[in-house]
Amino acid sequence: DEHNGQIEKQIGSLRNQIAERRQPHEKRLFEMKLALLPEAIRADTQMALQTPALARRSALANVEAAIAWWERRGGRAGERRGGRAGERGGDRRERAHRALERLGVGDLADRPAATLSGGEARRVHLARVLALDPDVLLLDEPFAGLDTAARGDLLYDTRELLRSPDRATVIVLHDRAEAWALADRTAL
């Protein structure tokens, strides 16, 4: 319990430091803050930055590649919550499909990332990070740059996906209504 208390304290500190920064979307800032966390947590922390930088491959291949990278890096890839350690091939593909389905873009699995709309790309981007099932998830403006309808739909679809008793999620938002809709606790 003392260890869990220390982890919660570190995550709280990280959340406060991110909220205090004027430009939290800078990757360097997140890397700097992650360096403050103990190695056990840092190894199972994932982030999604504001811009959904997808590789030149299909939506499904983007998610599969993230899972493969996570496994090589030593991330536990959700084995604590029903996944299997060292998933390969078909298992990884099945897991990537599930992540895309959960974000409502399963039918776009074979589409090249370059042909996706902004909202579709954002959903694939979030599916990619959620497929990793990290203990700590850092999101920077996950709804930025979307039109009102796409923003509202994505907010609605991700609300329950981001809430997990097994994961701490830190989200940087500039819209108070979005923060209230998503968060159990907020910091200004």
Side-chain angles (χ1 to χ4, degrees), residues 49-90:
L49 299 177
Q50 208 171 63
T51 305
L54 301 175
R56 293 181 185 163
R57 52 181 77 172
S58 71
L60 180 64
N62 266 277
V63 178
E64 283 182 285
I67 295 169
W69 170 82
W70 185 243
E71 290 171 349
R72 283 192 307 273
R73 188 175 162 265
R76 292 180 285 185
E79 64 194 61
R80 299 162 316 288
R81 295 182 281 281
R84 289 179 294 273
E87 288 182 301
R88 297 286 183 261

mmCIF file of all heavy atoms in Angstrom, residues 49-90:
data_model
loop_
_atom_site.group_PDB
_atom_site.id
_atom_site.type_symbol
_atom_site.label_atom_id
_atom_site.label_comp_id
_atom_site.label_asym_id
_atom_site.label_seq_id
_atom_site.Cartn_x
_atom_site.Cartn_y
_atom_site.Cartn_z
ATOM 1 N N LEU A 49 -0.196 12.225 -28.317
ATOM 2 C CA LEU A 49 -0.057 13.663 -28.486
ATOM 3 C C LEU A 49 -1.186 14.204 -29.358
ATOM 4 O O LEU A 49 -1.979 13.451 -29.920
ATOM 5 C CB LEU A 49 1.310 13.983 -29.079
ATOM 6 C CG LEU A 49 2.496 13.534 -28.208
ATOM 7 C CD1 LEU A 49 3.812 13.820 -28.896
ATOM 8 C CD2 LEU A 49 2.447 14.205 -26.851
ATOM 9 N N GLN A 50 -1.230 15.502 -29.499
ATOM 10 C CA GLN A 50 -2.331 16.178 -30.166
ATOM 11 C C GLN A 50 -2.505 15.763 -31.623
ATOM 12 O O GLN A 50 -3.610 15.586 -32.092
ATOM 13 C CB GLN A 50 -2.082 17.681 -30.085
ATOM 14 C CG GLN A 50 -3.304 18.506 -30.111
ATOM 15 C CD GLN A 50 -2.966 19.942 -29.817
ATOM 16 O OE1 GLN A 50 -2.245 20.573 -30.571
ATOM 17 N NE2 GLN A 50 -3.473 20.460 -28.727
ATOM 18 N N THR A 51 -1.425 15.606 -32.336
ATOM 19 C CA THR A 51 -1.498 15.280 -33.753
ATOM 20 C C THR A 51 -1.422 13.773 -33.955
ATOM 21 O O THR A 51 -0.459 13.142 -33.531
ATOM 22 C CB THR A 51 -0.332 15.950 -34.512
ATOM 23 O OG1 THR A 51 -0.368 17.344 -34.237
ATOM 24 C CG2 THR A 51 -0.452 15.716 -35.997
ATOM 25 N N PRO A 52 -2.426 13.194 -34.619
ATOM 26 C CA PRO A 52 -2.403 11.749 -34.846
ATOM 27 C C PRO A 52 -1.439 11.385 -35.979
ATOM 28 O O PRO A 52 -1.836 11.236 -37.129
ATOM 29 C CB PRO A 52 -3.852 11.416 -35.199
ATOM 30 C CG PRO A 52 -4.421 12.669 -35.742
ATOM 31 C CD PRO A 52 -3.671 13.797 -35.083
ATOM 32 N N ALA A 53 -0.179 11.266 -35.663
ATOM 33 C CA ALA A 53 0.835 10.947 -36.664
ATOM 34 C C ALA A 53 0.792 9.451 -36.965
ATOM 35 O O ALA A 53 1.385 8.644 -36.262
ATOM 36 C CB ALA A 53 2.211 11.354 -36.148
ATOM 37 N N LEU A 54 0.071 9.099 -38.025
ATOM 38 C CA LEU A 54 -0.051 7.702 -38.414
ATOM 39 C C LEU A 54 0.962 7.374 -39.511
ATOM 40 O O LEU A 54 1.276 8.221 -40.346
ATOM 41 C CB LEU A 54 -1.473 7.421 -38.910
ATOM 42 C CG LEU A 54 -2.593 7.690 -37.897
ATOM 43 C CD1 LEU A 54 -3.954 7.491 -38.553
ATOM 44 C CD2 LEU A 54 -2.449 6.801 -36.680
ATOM 45 N N ALA A 55 1.434 6.142 -39.491
ATOM 46 C CA ALA A 55 2.405 5.688 -40.501
ATOM 47 C C ALA A 55 1.686 5.441 -41.822
ATOM 48 O O ALA A 55 0.469 5.310 -41.878
ATOM 49 C CB ALA A 55 3.085 4.409 -40.014
ATOM 50 N N ARG A 56 2.459 5.346 -42.884
ATOM 51 C CA ARG A 56 1.914 5.093 -44.225
ATOM 52 C C ARG A 56 1.584 3.614 -44.385
ATOM 53 O O ARG A 56 2.284 2.874 -45.067
ATOM 54 C CB ARG A 56 2.928 5.503 -45.287
ATOM 55 C CG ARG A 56 3.165 6.966 -45.327
ATOM 56 C CD ARG A 56 4.148 7.301 -46.405
ATOM 57 N NE ARG A 56 4.457 8.707 -46.355
ATOM 58 C CZ ARG A 56 5.489 9.238 -46.943
ATOM 59 N NH1 ARG A 56 6.331 8.494 -47.622
ATOM 60 N NH2 ARG A 56 5.698 10.530 -46.848
ATOM 61 N N ARG A 57 0.545 3.214 -43.739
ATOM 62 C CA ARG A 57 0.064 1.837 -43.801
ATOM 63 C C ARG A 57 -1.406 1.863 -43.452
ATOM 64 O O ARG A 57 -1.957 2.917 -43.207
ATOM 65 C CB ARG A 57 0.869 0.941 -42.864
ATOM 66 C CG ARG A 57 0.955 1.477 -41.443
ATOM 67 C CD ARG A 57 1.757 0.605 -40.536
ATOM 68 N NE ARG A 57 3.170 0.790 -40.789
ATOM 69 C CZ ARG A 57 4.126 0.288 -40.063
ATOM 70 N NH1 ARG A 57 3.847 -0.441 -39.026
ATOM 71 N NH2 ARG A 57 5.389 0.487 -40.350
ATOM 72 N N SER A 58 -2.035 0.730 -43.376
ATOM 73 C CA SER A 58 -3.468 0.684 -43.068
ATOM 74 C C SER A 58 -3.700 1.071 -41.605
ATOM 75 O O SER A 58 -2.784 1.055 -40.783
ATOM 76 C CB SER A 58 -4.017 -0.710 -43.332
ATOM 77 O OG SER A 58 -3.542 -1.624 -42.359
ATOM 78 N N ALA A 59 -4.952 1.371 -41.314
ATOM 79 C CA ALA A 59 -5.333 1.687 -39.934
ATOM 80 C C ALA A 59 -4.991 0.507 -39.025
ATOM 81 O O ALA A 59 -4.400 0.686 -37.951
ATOM 82 C CB ALA A 59 -6.823 2.006 -39.867
ATOM 83 N N LEU A 60 -5.326 -0.705 -39.462
ATOM 84 C CA LEU A 60 -5.041 -1.898 -38.671
ATOM 85 C C LEU A 60 -3.541 -2.082 -38.469
ATOM 86 O O LEU A 60 -3.088 -2.370 -37.360
ATOM 87 C CB LEU A 60 -5.630 -3.143 -39.347
ATOM 88 C CG LEU A 60 -5.404 -4.465 -38.631
ATOM 89 C CD1 LEU A 60 -6.103 -4.481 -37.269
ATOM 90 C CD2 LEU A 60 -5.903 -5.612 -39.499
ATOM 91 N N ALA A 61 -2.767 -1.897 -39.518
ATOM 92 C CA ALA A 61 -1.311 -2.063 -39.418
ATOM 93 C C ALA A 61 -0.702 -1.039 -38.466
ATOM 94 O O ALA A 61 0.289 -1.336 -37.788
ATOM 95 C CB ALA A 61 -0.661 -1.970 -40.796
ATOM 96 N N ASN A 62 -1.283 0.155 -38.393
ATOM 97 C CA ASN A 62 -0.803 1.159 -37.441
ATOM 98 C C ASN A 62 -0.980 0.675 -36.006
ATOM 99 O O ASN A 62 -0.082 0.822 -35.183
ATOM 100 C CB ASN A 62 -1.551 2.480 -37.645
ATOM 101 C CG ASN A 62 -0.833 3.434 -38.548
ATOM 102 O OD1 ASN A 62 0.061 4.152 -38.127
ATOM 103 N ND2 ASN A 62 -1.214 3.418 -39.825
ATOM 104 N N VAL A 63 -2.128 0.094 -35.703
ATOM 105 C CA VAL A 63 -2.392 -0.386 -34.343
ATOM 106 C C VAL A 63 -1.526 -1.616 -34.052
ATOM 107 O O VAL A 63 -0.943 -1.721 -32.966
ATOM 108 C CB VAL A 63 -3.895 -0.688 -34.141
ATOM 109 C CG1 VAL A 63 -4.154 -1.221 -32.738
ATOM 110 C CG2 VAL A 63 -4.727 0.571 -34.390
ATOM 111 N N GLU A 64 -1.416 -2.524 -35.015
ATOM 112 C CA GLU A 64 -0.572 -3.715 -34.824
ATOM 113 C C GLU A 64 0.887 -3.327 -34.567
ATOM 114 O O GLU A 64 1.551 -3.920 -33.712
ATOM 115 C CB GLU A 64 -0.626 -4.616 -36.054
ATOM 116 C CG GLU A 64 -1.878 -5.429 -36.169
ATOM 117 C CD GLU A 64 -1.828 -6.322 -37.383
ATOM 118 O OE1 GLU A 64 -1.994 -5.801 -38.507
ATOM 119 O OE2 GLU A 64 -1.610 -7.535 -37.208
ATOM 120 N N ALA A 65 1.374 -2.355 -35.307
ATOM 121 C CA ALA A 65 2.764 -1.913 -35.142
ATOM 122 C C ALA A 65 2.990 -1.340 -33.747
ATOM 123 O O ALA A 65 4.037 -1.559 -33.134
ATOM 124 C CB ALA A 65 3.122 -0.875 -36.209
ATOM 125 N N ALA A 66 2.001 -0.614 -33.229
ATOM 126 C CA ALA A 66 2.121 -0.051 -31.878
ATOM 127 C C ALA A 66 2.194 -1.174 -30.850
ATOM 128 O O ALA A 66 3.002 -1.119 -29.912
ATOM 129 C CB ALA A 66 0.940 0.869 -31.580
ATOM 130 N N ILE A 67 1.372 -2.203 -31.017
ATOM 131 C CA ILE A 67 1.388 -3.331 -30.081
ATOM 132 C C ILE A 67 2.736 -4.043 -30.141
ATOM 133 O O ILE A 67 3.332 -4.365 -29.102
ATOM 134 C CB ILE A 67 0.228 -4.306 -30.368
ATOM 135 C CG1 ILE A 67 -1.111 -3.620 -30.108
ATOM 136 C CG2 ILE A 67 0.364 -5.562 -29.509
ATOM 137 C CD1 ILE A 67 -2.324 -4.407 -30.621
ATOM 138 N N ALA A 68 3.255 -4.269 -31.342
ATOM 139 C CA ALA A 68 4.556 -4.943 -31.500
ATOM 140 C C ALA A 68 5.666 -4.116 -30.859
ATOM 141 O O ALA A 68 6.538 -4.653 -30.160
ATOM 142 C CB ALA A 68 4.846 -5.174 -32.983
ATOM 143 N N TRP A 69 5.639 -2.802 -31.082
ATOM 144 C CA TRP A 69 6.652 -1.922 -30.489
ATOM 145 C C TRP A 69 6.567 -1.981 -28.971
ATOM 146 O O TRP A 69 7.575 -2.074 -28.280
ATOM 147 C CB TRP A 69 6.424 -0.493 -30.978
ATOM 148 C CG TRP A 69 7.249 0.507 -30.244
ATOM 149 C CD1 TRP A 69 8.551 0.834 -30.478
ATOM 150 C CD2 TRP A 69 6.829 1.300 -29.125
ATOM 151 N NE1 TRP A 69 8.959 1.785 -29.575
ATOM 152 C CE2 TRP A 69 7.928 2.083 -28.741
ATOM 153 C CE3 TRP A 69 5.635 1.412 -28.422
ATOM 154 C CZ2 TRP A 69 7.856 2.976 -27.678
ATOM 155 C CZ3 TRP A 69 5.569 2.303 -27.370
ATOM 156 C CH2 TRP A 69 6.683 3.072 -27.012
ATOM 157 N N TRP A 70 5.347 -1.955 -28.432
ATOM 158 C CA TRP A 70 5.123 -1.974 -26.985
ATOM 159 C C TRP A 70 5.684 -3.258 -26.382
ATOM 160 O O TRP A 70 6.307 -3.242 -25.329
ATOM 161 C CB TRP A 70 3.627 -1.840 -26.751
ATOM 162 C CG TRP A 70 3.143 -1.716 -25.346
ATOM 163 C CD1 TRP A 70 2.345 -2.601 -24.701
ATOM 164 C CD2 TRP A 70 3.368 -0.656 -24.428
ATOM 165 N NE1 TRP A 70 2.054 -2.145 -23.435
ATOM 166 C CE2 TRP A 70 2.668 -0.948 -23.253
ATOM 167 C CE3 TRP A 70 4.087 0.535 -24.491
ATOM 168 C CZ2 TRP A 70 2.674 -0.107 -22.139
ATOM 169 C CZ3 TRP A 70 4.087 1.364 -23.387
ATOM 170 C CH2 TRP A 70 3.383 1.035 -22.233
ATOM 171 N N GLU A 71 5.464 -4.372 -27.057
ATOM 172 C CA GLU A 71 5.974 -5.654 -26.563
ATOM 173 C C GLU A 71 7.503 -5.674 -26.576
ATOM 174 O O GLU A 71 8.132 -6.125 -25.626
ATOM 175 C CB GLU A 71 5.440 -6.803 -27.415
ATOM 176 C CG GLU A 71 3.967 -7.042 -27.215
ATOM 177 C CD GLU A 71 3.391 -8.021 -28.212
ATOM 178 O OE1 GLU A 71 4.070 -8.370 -29.203
ATOM 179 O OE2 GLU A 71 2.238 -8.444 -28.005
ATOM 180 N N ARG A 72 8.099 -5.181 -27.663
ATOM 181 C CA ARG A 72 9.573 -5.153 -27.742
ATOM 182 C C ARG A 72 10.159 -4.243 -26.674
ATOM 183 O O ARG A 72 11.225 -4.492 -26.138
ATOM 184 C CB ARG A 72 10.028 -4.676 -29.119
ATOM 185 C CG ARG A 72 9.917 -5.714 -30.189
ATOM 186 C CD ARG A 72 10.635 -5.296 -31.463
ATOM 187 N NE ARG A 72 10.248 -3.997 -31.967
ATOM 188 C CZ ARG A 72 9.222 -3.761 -32.776
ATOM 189 N NH1 ARG A 72 8.448 -4.756 -33.153
ATOM 190 N NH2 ARG A 72 8.960 -2.549 -33.196
ATOM 191 N N ARG A 73 9.457 -3.172 -26.363
ATOM 192 C CA ARG A 73 9.922 -2.190 -25.375
ATOM 193 C C ARG A 73 9.770 -2.716 -23.948
ATOM 194 O O ARG A 73 10.338 -2.181 -23.021
ATOM 195 C CB ARG A 73 9.105 -0.914 -25.556
ATOM 196 C CG ARG A 73 9.558 0.256 -24.761
ATOM 197 C CD ARG A 73 8.718 1.470 -25.135
ATOM 198 N NE ARG A 73 8.855 2.455 -24.099
ATOM 199 C CZ ARG A 73 8.012 2.595 -23.079
ATOM 200 N NH1 ARG A 73 6.979 1.815 -22.969
ATOM 201 N NH2 ARG A 73 8.221 3.520 -22.172
ATOM 202 N N GLY A 74 8.963 -3.740 -23.771
ATOM 203 C CA GLY A 74 8.800 -4.303 -22.436
ATOM 204 C C GLY A 74 7.486 -3.972 -21.787
ATOM 205 O O GLY A 74 7.259 -4.298 -20.634
ATOM 206 N N GLY A 75 6.591 -3.281 -22.506
ATOM 207 C CA GLY A 75 5.265 -3.011 -21.970
ATOM 208 C C GLY A 75 4.513 -4.321 -21.802
ATOM 209 O O GLY A 75 4.743 -5.278 -22.531
ATOM 210 N N ARG A 76 3.631 -4.338 -20.842
ATOM 211 C CA ARG A 76 2.952 -5.588 -20.522
ATOM 212 C C ARG A 76 1.765 -5.879 -21.424
ATOM 213 O O ARG A 76 1.149 -6.916 -21.303
ATOM 214 C CB ARG A 76 2.538 -5.588 -19.058
ATOM 215 C CG ARG A 76 3.776 -5.637 -18.174
ATOM 216 C CD ARG A 76 3.402 -5.628 -16.750
ATOM 217 N NE ARG A 76 2.992 -4.276 -16.381
ATOM 218 C CZ ARG A 76 2.696 -3.921 -15.162
ATOM 219 N NH1 ARG A 76 2.725 -4.784 -14.199
ATOM 220 N NH2 ARG A 76 2.350 -2.685 -14.887
ATOM 221 N N ALA A 77 1.430 -4.976 -22.316
ATOM 222 C CA ALA A 77 0.414 -5.202 -23.343
ATOM 223 C C ALA A 77 -0.881 -5.806 -22.813
ATOM 224 O O ALA A 77 -1.462 -6.684 -23.409
ATOM 225 C CB ALA A 77 0.978 -6.064 -24.466
ATOM 226 N N GLY A 78 -1.342 -5.348 -21.677
ATOM 227 C CA GLY A 78 -2.640 -5.739 -21.173
ATOM 228 C C GLY A 78 -2.744 -7.126 -20.578
ATOM 229 O O GLY A 78 -3.823 -7.601 -20.309
ATOM 230 N N GLU A 79 -1.622 -7.797 -20.351
ATOM 231 C CA GLU A 79 -1.698 -9.165 -19.837
ATOM 232 C C GLU A 79 -2.357 -9.230 -18.470
ATOM 233 O O GLU A 79 -2.927 -10.229 -18.104
ATOM 234 C CB GLU A 79 -0.313 -9.809 -19.799
ATOM 235 C CG GLU A 79 0.632 -9.134 -18.849
ATOM 236 C CD GLU A 79 2.072 -9.550 -19.075
ATOM 237 O OE1 GLU A 79 2.597 -9.313 -20.159
ATOM 238 O OE2 GLU A 79 2.653 -10.117 -18.141
ATOM 239 N N ARG A 80 -2.325 -8.117 -17.701
ATOM 240 C CA ARG A 80 -2.964 -8.108 -16.386
ATOM 241 C C ARG A 80 -4.476 -8.119 -16.499
ATOM 242 O O ARG A 80 -5.184 -8.484 -15.601
ATOM 243 C CB ARG A 80 -2.565 -6.844 -15.608
ATOM 244 C CG ARG A 80 -1.103 -6.751 -15.378
ATOM 245 C CD ARG A 80 -0.677 -5.335 -15.014
ATOM 246 N NE ARG A 80 -1.248 -4.250 -15.772
ATOM 247 C CZ ARG A 80 -0.960 -3.951 -17.031
ATOM 248 N NH1 ARG A 80 -0.161 -4.693 -17.728
ATOM 249 N NH2 ARG A 80 -1.492 -2.910 -17.600
ATOM 250 N N ARG A 81 -4.976 -7.649 -17.639
ATOM 251 C CA ARG A 81 -6.424 -7.501 -17.786
ATOM 252 C C ARG A 81 -6.937 -8.337 -18.961
ATOM 253 O O ARG A 81 -7.715 -7.868 -19.765
ATOM 254 C CB ARG A 81 -6.755 -6.038 -17.976
ATOM 255 C CG ARG A 81 -6.406 -5.221 -16.738
ATOM 256 C CD ARG A 81 -6.761 -3.766 -16.876
ATOM 257 N NE ARG A 81 -5.848 -2.958 -17.644
ATOM 258 C CZ ARG A 81 -4.699 -2.474 -17.195
ATOM 259 N NH1 ARG A 81 -4.289 -2.766 -15.991
ATOM 260 N NH2 ARG A 81 -3.952 -1.719 -17.944
ATOM 261 N N GLY A 82 -6.476 -9.562 -19.052
ATOM 262 C CA GLY A 82 -7.028 -10.480 -20.039
ATOM 263 C C GLY A 82 -6.175 -10.691 -21.268
ATOM 264 O O GLY A 82 -6.450 -11.579 -22.054
ATOM 265 N N GLY A 83 -5.157 -9.867 -21.484
ATOM 266 C CA GLY A 83 -4.269 -10.101 -22.614
ATOM 267 C C GLY A 83 -3.263 -11.179 -22.252
ATOM 268 O O GLY A 83 -3.245 -11.680 -21.139
ATOM 269 N N ARG A 84 -2.442 -11.542 -23.189
ATOM 270 C CA ARG A 84 -1.425 -12.553 -22.938
ATOM 271 C C ARG A 84 -0.051 -11.956 -23.176
ATOM 272 O O ARG A 84 0.141 -11.209 -24.125
ATOM 273 C CB ARG A 84 -1.634 -13.746 -23.875
ATOM 274 C CG ARG A 84 -2.863 -14.548 -23.507
ATOM 275 C CD ARG A 84 -3.028 -15.689 -24.483
ATOM 276 N NE ARG A 84 -3.319 -15.212 -25.818
ATOM 277 C CZ ARG A 84 -4.541 -14.951 -26.258
ATOM 278 N NH1 ARG A 84 -5.557 -15.093 -25.467
ATOM 279 N NH2 ARG A 84 -4.739 -14.546 -27.488
ATOM 280 N N ALA A 85 0.877 -12.311 -22.331
ATOM 281 C CA ALA A 85 2.243 -11.826 -22.508
ATOM 282 C C ALA A 85 2.787 -12.382 -23.810
ATOM 283 O O ALA A 85 2.544 -13.524 -24.163
ATOM 284 C CB ALA A 85 3.113 -12.282 -21.339
ATOM 285 N N GLY A 86 3.510 -11.561 -24.537
ATOM 286 C CA GLY A 86 4.188 -12.010 -25.743
ATOM 287 C C GLY A 86 3.251 -12.401 -26.869
ATOM 288 O O GLY A 86 3.550 -13.306 -27.630
ATOM 289 N N GLU A 87 2.128 -11.704 -27.011
ATOM 290 C CA GLU A 87 1.209 -12.019 -28.105
ATOM 291 C C GLU A 87 1.936 -11.831 -29.427
ATOM 292 O O GLU A 87 2.725 -10.923 -29.595
ATOM 293 C CB GLU A 87 0.002 -11.086 -28.063
ATOM 294 C CG GLU A 87 -0.933 -11.367 -26.928
ATOM 295 C CD GLU A 87 -2.124 -10.447 -26.957
ATOM 296 O OE1 GLU A 87 -1.915 -9.231 -26.888
ATOM 297 O OE2 GLU A 87 -3.236 -10.951 -27.042
ATOM 298 N N ARG A 88 1.634 -12.672 -30.383
ATOM 299 C CA ARG A 88 2.259 -12.571 -31.695
ATOM 300 C C ARG A 88 1.218 -12.772 -32.782
ATOM 301 O O ARG A 88 0.172 -13.377 -32.562
ATOM 302 C CB ARG A 88 3.351 -13.643 -31.872
ATOM 303 C CG ARG A 88 4.494 -13.498 -30.894
ATOM 304 C CD ARG A 88 5.378 -12.309 -31.287
ATOM 305 N NE ARG A 88 6.509 -12.199 -30.398
ATOM 306 C CZ ARG A 88 6.567 -11.376 -29.381
ATOM 307 N NH1 ARG A 88 5.564 -10.606 -29.095
ATOM 308 N NH2 ARG A 88 7.635 -11.314 -28.626
ATOM 309 N N GLY A 89 1.547 -12.301 -33.973
ATOM 310 C CA GLY A 89 0.782 -12.588 -35.176
ATOM 311 C C GLY A 89 -0.709 -12.393 -35.048
ATOM 312 O O GLY A 89 -1.197 -11.288 -34.883
ATOM 313 N N GLY A 90 -1.463 -13.492 -35.173
ATOM 314 C CA GLY A 90 -2.916 -13.445 -35.176
ATOM 315 C C GLY A 90 -3.498 -12.832 -33.923
ATOM 316 O O GLY A 90 -4.498 -12.117 -33.972
#
